[in-house]
C-alpha cells in the first residue's frame, strides 16, 4: 500500500469540484500514467467453484468482485448462527442483556440441539446455566445448535420471538432476500437466504461488532470434559483468515462463509451447496487468493482530517473544513490506481450556522466512468452564526455576487 501522504497528494491534485448546479471544474490531472504494466492486463476469470451459489466481495465497499447464482435462494444451514451472533451483539450494545448473564440450557434447547441429536452441539449440561459470553462461544466456535437455541430463549423468550428479532435486524442491515425461521439453521420451511445476503451479513458483523466477530477465529473451545475444534479449517490453513462460519445439512450441502485480511485489504467469500467438506475449503481458499492477487485496496482519506476548505457566509468563521466521518478505502483491479478520479460535490454556497458532523456534500471516486466508492462529506467544525452587522454585510455581498 502506498503511503497515505502520497495518496492524499495524488488525489488532491486530481480533485474535481461540482458546486451545486455549476459546471464541474477540473483541477490538475493526477500523476502521469506509468507505462502499461503486466497488472494492467485483463483480470483472468475466477477459479472454478463447485458450489450451487457463491460470491466474493470487497469488505471496504461491499462491491461484488465475482460470483455465480449469488442472488438465488439457498438454505443457510449453520451460517444462520452469524445472524444470531449479530442479534446477540446488538442486544448487548443496547444494554438489554449482559455478557455475564446466566443463560439456561433448557430442556427444549438440549433436546433440539444437544449431544443426543445428529447436529453439532456445545456440551453445556441441561438445566444448568453458563455466562452468556461462554454460551456464545459454544455457538460460534463449536457451532452448537443447543447454545443458539438457549441464547434465543434467554434474549427473546422463545425461538419464534428471536426469529422475529433476526428478521428485524436483517432488514436494518439491508438483507433483501433473507427470511429467518430459527436461530440455529436447522431445516425449516421458509428459512432462506442468498450468498449475497450472507456476504453482506458477514460484512455488517465485522463492521458493527468487531469484538463479537473476533470469537470466530477461536480454534477450539472446551466445555466440561469436551474439547471441540472450530469447523472452519481455513483458520489452520491461512493465517490471514479470521472467520467466519461453516454450515452443513443434507439439503443445504457444505457451506462456508470466510473472511481474510491481508494488510488493509479484507475480502469475504461465501460458497453454498458444495459437494464435500474439503471442496468448500479448497474453493474458498482459491477465491480469496484470486481476489487478493488481482485486486488491491487503498486508503484514500483518513477520518476526521480535512480534504477541503469551503467558504461560509454569515458565520463567525469565514471557512469550514470538510472531511469524512470514517476512513475511505477503495478496492480496484491492480495497476489501475493512477486512473482513479475523485469528485467532490458541494453546494454552490454555504451559509451558517453549520453543525459539526453535518453532511455538506459527497465525495465520489470514479474508475472508468463508474462510481467505485461514495461517502458523505461532513463539516469537521461547527460554524456559529455571526452577529447582525456581519450577516447584513454578507447578505449584500451574496446579492452582489449572484
Amino acid at each position: 500500500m502506498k503511503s497515505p501522504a502520497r495518496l492524499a497528494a495524488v488525489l488532491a491534485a486530481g480533485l474535481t469540484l461540482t458546486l451545486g448546479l455549476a459546471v464541474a471544474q477540473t483541477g490538475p490531472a493526477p500523476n502521469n500514467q506509468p507505462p502499461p504494466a503486466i497488472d494492467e492486463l485483463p483480470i483472468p476469470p475466477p477459479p472454478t467453484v463447485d458450489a450451487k451459489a457463491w460470491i466474493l466481495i470487497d469488505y471496504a465497499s461491499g462491491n461484488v468482485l465475482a460470483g455465480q447464482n449469488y442472488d438465488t435462494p439457498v438454505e443457510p444451514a449453520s451460517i444462520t448462527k452469524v445472524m444470531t451472533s449479530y442479534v446477540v451483539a446488538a442486544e448487548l450494545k443496547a444494554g438489554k442483556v449482559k455478557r455475564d448473564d446466566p443463560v439456561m440450557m433448557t430442556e427444549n434447547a438440549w433436546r433440539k440441539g444437544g449431544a443426543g441429536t445428529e447436529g453439532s452441539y456445545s456440551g453445556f449440561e441441561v438445566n444448568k446455566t453458563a455466562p452468556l459470553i461462554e454460551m456464545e462461544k459454544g455457538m460460534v466456535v463449536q457451532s452448537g445448535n443447543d447454545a443458539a437455541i438457549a441464547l434465543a430463549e434467554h434474549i427473546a423468550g422463545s425461538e419464534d420471538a428471536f426469529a422475529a428479532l433476526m428478521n428485524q435486524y436483517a432488514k436494518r442491515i439491508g438483507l433483501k432476500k433473507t427470511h429467518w425461521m430459527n436461530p440455529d439453521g436447522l431445516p425449516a420451511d421458509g428459512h432462506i437466504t442468498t450468498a449475497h445476503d450472507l456476504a453482506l451479513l458477514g460484512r455488517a458483523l465485522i463492521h458493527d461488532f468487531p469484538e463479537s466477530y473476533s470469537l470466530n477465529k477461536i480454534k477450539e473451545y472446551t466445555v466440561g470434559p469436551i474439547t471441540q475444534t472450530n469447523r472452519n479449517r481455513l483458520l489452520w490453513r491461512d493465517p490471514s483468515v479470521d472467520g467466519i462460519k461453516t454450515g452443513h445439512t443434507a439439503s443445504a450441502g457444505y457451506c462456508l462463509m470466510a473472511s481474510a485480511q491481508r494488510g488493509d485489504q479484507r475480502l469475504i467469500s461465501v460458497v453454498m451447496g458444495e459437494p464435500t467438506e474439503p471442496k468448500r475449503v479448497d474453493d474458498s481458499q482459491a477465491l480469496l487468493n484470486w481476489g487478493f492477487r488481482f485486486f488491491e485496496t487503498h486508503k484514500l482519506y483518513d477520518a476526521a482530517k480535512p480534504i477541503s476548505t469551503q467558504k461560509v457566509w454569515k458565520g463567525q468563521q469565514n471557512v469550514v473544513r470538510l472531511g469524512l466521518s470514517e476512513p475511505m478505502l477503495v478496492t480496484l483491479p491492480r495497476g489501475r490506481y493512477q486512473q482513479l478520479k475523485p469528485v467532490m460535490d458541494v453546494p454552490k454556497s454555504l451559509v451558517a450556522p453549520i453543525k459539526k458532523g453535518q453532511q455538506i456534500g459527497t465525495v465520489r471516486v470514479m474508475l472508468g466512468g463508474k462510481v467505485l466508492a461514495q461517502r458523505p462529506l461532513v463539516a469537521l467544525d461547527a460554524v456559529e452564526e455571526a452577529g447582525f452587522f456581519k450577516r447584513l454585510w454578507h447578505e449584500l455581498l451574496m446579492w452582489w455576487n449572484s
Side-chain angles (χ1 to χ4, degrees):
M1 177 178 174
K2 299 176 178 66
S3 70
R6 181 175 181 275
L7 286 173
V10 170
L11 288 169
L15 192 65
T16 298
L17 296 180
T18 304
L19 305 177
L21 299 178
V23 177
Q25 301 175 1
T26 304
N31 290 354
N32 293 332
Q33 296 295 327
I38 190 169
D39 275 335
E40 295 182 32
L41 294 173
I43 295 175
T48 299
V49 177
D50 286 342
K52 295 178 182 177
W54 61 273
I55 195 171
L56 178 70
I57 73 166
D58 160 44
Y59 166 78
S61 66
N63 291 341
V64 178
L65 303 183
Q68 187 173 11
N69 300 326
Y70 52 79
D71 284 324
T72 300
V74 293
E75 293 182 47
S78 277
I79 296 181
T80 297
K81 298 183 178 85
V82 178
M83 188 72 235
T84 302
S85 291
Y86 190 96
V87 176
V88 172
E91 296 293 289
L92 280 167
K93 184 177 181 179
K96 297 178 181 178
V97 293
K98 297 180 180 179
R99 289 166 56 90
D100 58 355
D101 276 0
V103 176
M104 175 68 70
M105 178 58 67
T106 64
E107 186 168 342
N108 175 65
W110 181 77
R111 287 189 180 280
K112 286 185 176 180
T117 64
E118 294 181 0
S120 51
Y121 64 95
S122 66
F124 289 104
E125 292 186 58
V126 63
N127 292 326
K128 291 189 177 180
T129 65
L132 183 146
I133 186 60
E134 301 304 318
M135 191 69 72
E136 187 176 8
K137 291 177 184 177
M139 177 186 70
V140 172
V141 182
Q142 300 166 329
S143 195
N145 294 324
D146 52 353
I149 297 170
L151 286 166
E153 292 175 335
H154 178 79
I155 289 173
S158 70
E159 295 173 80
D160 289 343
F162 188 83
L165 268 183
M166 295 170 74
N167 288 315
Q168 291 173 20
Y169 279 111
K171 184 176 181 180
R172 183 180 300 179
I173 293 170
L175 310 187
K176 300 183 182 302
K177 296 184 177 181
T178 293
H179 185 76
W180 309 108
M181 296 294 293
N182 59 54
D184 46 59
L186 292 172
D189 289 342
H191 192 77
I192 58 170
T193 186
T194 66
H196 196 178
D197 275 3
L198 289 178
L200 296 178
L201 169 60
R203 180 174 182 249
L205 180 63
I206 296 168
H207 179 272
D208 297 346
F209 305 111
E211 184 176 356
S212 293
Y213 173 72
S214 68
L215 299 179
N216 290 273
K217 65 183 178 183
I218 299 174
K219 292 183 177 180
E220 64 177 34
Y221 184 63
T222 300
V223 175
I226 302 172
T227 297
Q228 298 185 70
T229 59
N230 196 312
R231 288 164 171 77
N232 182 2
R233 298 308 170 191
L234 282 178
L235 293 173
W236 284 266
R237 179 185 292 194
D238 184 342
S240 70
V241 172
D242 53 14
I244 306 176
K245 188 74 187 73
T246 62
H248 173 256
T249 64
S251 53
Y254 291 89
C255 311
L256 174 57
M257 177 199 294
S259 183
Q261 182 167 5
R262 301 178 188 176
D264 282 336
Q265 185 176 7
R266 178 181 285 281
L267 301 177
I268 299 172
S269 66
V270 179
V271 296
M272 305 296 292
E274 290 274 15
T276 66
E277 182 177 6
K279 200 72 176 71
R280 74 180 176 188
V281 178
D282 292 342
D283 284 350
S284 297
Q285 181 74 80
L287 283 173
L288 292 171
N289 287 342
W290 177 84
F292 283 117
R293 169 60 185 85
F294 294 106
F295 293 85
E296 57 186 346
T297 297
H298 293 280
K299 182 188 288 185
L300 304 186
Y301 302 107
D302 287 314
K305 290 191 177 181
I307 60 176
S308 176
T309 301
Q310 298 293 317
K311 181 177 178 60
V312 177
W313 297 98
K314 302 183 182 182
Q316 293 182 11
Q317 294 81 37
N318 293 325
V319 296
V320 62
R321 301 181 307 157
L322 304 181
L324 305 178
S325 57
E326 293 185 355
M328 187 174 193
L329 292 88
V330 297
T331 297
L332 67 157
R334 288 193 180 274
R336 299 191 65 186
Y337 171 78
Q338 301 286 358
Q339 300 170 26
L340 290 178
K341 181 182 179 182
V343 178
M344 184 172 67
D345 302 311
V346 295
K348 188 173 182 179
S349 60
L350 299 178
V351 180
I354 295 174
K355 296 180 181 179
K356 183 177 181 179
Q358 177 180 332
Q359 182 173 350
I360 301 299
T362 304
V363 172
R364 292 177 287 120
V365 177
M366 314 289 292
L367 180 67
K370 296 182 179 180
V371 176
L372 194 63
Q374 180 172 302
R375 298 289 186 276
L377 190 64
V378 301
L380 298 181
D381 312 291
V383 179
E384 301 295 336
E385 196 174 51
F388 172 77
F389 290 106
K390 185 174 182 180
R391 297 201 312 273
L392 179 61
W393 175 242
H394 277 200
E395 185 72 35
L396 291 171
L397 290 177
M398 291 173 68
W399 171 80
W400 181 262
N401 292 326
S402 64

